[in-house]
Amino acid sequence: MAVQPVVTIQPGMVLAPVDMKINSWSSGICDCCEDMGICCCAFWCFPCFMCKTASEFGECLCLPLLDPCSPVPPISLAVRSSIRERYRIKGSICSDCCTVTCCNACAWCQMAREMKRHKQPLILTAPTTMPAVQPMGNYPSAPPSGLYPPMP
């Protein structure tokens, strides 16, 4: 009969690094006119806008269509809190709940602006100094054997 080892060390709690910066929303809840494309899309067809935004966030395309089934929009709440967590934006589930319940269209516009801001590509610049160039005399006259197949 084999004796099973006894685990005496419990796994530790995983903590987020302390040096990670807590951000704020890049735009306010009432800054709808900051991005007119987002504002117009939300104004003219809000259900389509919610579905498009949820899809861009990586959620199911039709998931926001379940929101009208409840007095507190659960999908809007879940997406908003997920965006807040992903981009490390300060806030709470309580503030998210109040925002999506009282101002759902403005909340979706704010979430879309935040995602758009975080999707903008980084611009990298090349170093200002040029690398040193070796003179032609230092290169071998023929490539090492085995690099190229023999010519027929």
Side-chain angles (χ1 to χ4, degrees):
M1 184 163 148
V3 177
Q4 296 290 334
V6 177
V7 177
T8 57
I9 300 174
Q10 295 293 321
M13 189 165 75
V14 178
L15 298 174
V18 178
D19 61 342
M20 291 186 71
K21 184 181 174 190
I22 302 295
N23 302 312
S24 297
W25 289 96
S26 61
S27 61
I29 193 74
C30 294
D31 291 340
C32 292
C33 294
E34 189 175 294
D35 189 321
M36 289 307 291
I38 288 174
C39 181
C40 287
C41 186
F43 179 77
W44 292 109
C45 188
F46 186 59
C48 297
F49 175 71
M50 290 187 337
C51 292
K52 176 184 168 289
T53 304
S55 176
E56 288 174 356
F57 187 63
E59 295 297 329
C60 177
L61 176 70
C62 297
L63 197 59
L65 298 177
L66 297 174
D67 267 355
C69 300
S70 174
V72 175
I75 307 307
S76 297
L77 179 59
V79 172
R80 184 173 177 85
S81 63
S82 295
I83 287 174
R84 207 173 35 74
E85 290 296 318
R86 180 180 291 178
Y87 300 131
R88 301 203 36 89
I89 297 171
K90 64 184 169 187
S92 67
I93 194 75
C94 183
S95 66
D96 293 338
C97 185
C98 291
T99 302
V100 298
T101 302
C102 297
C103 235
N104 200 18
C106 294
W108 276 97
C109 287
Q110 184 184 37
M111 293 186 289
R113 287 191 305 271
E114 192 69 32
M115 288 175 16
K116 184 176 180 180
R117 181 176 125 356
H118 283 280
K119 281 186 181 178
Q120 294 194 353
L122 295 174
I123 299 173
L124 302 176
T125 59
T128 56
T129 59
M130 295 295 292
V133 178
Q134 290 183 332
M136 289 298 291
N138 290 347
Y139 291 104
S141 58
S145 62
L147 285 180
Y148 299 102
M151 297 294 285

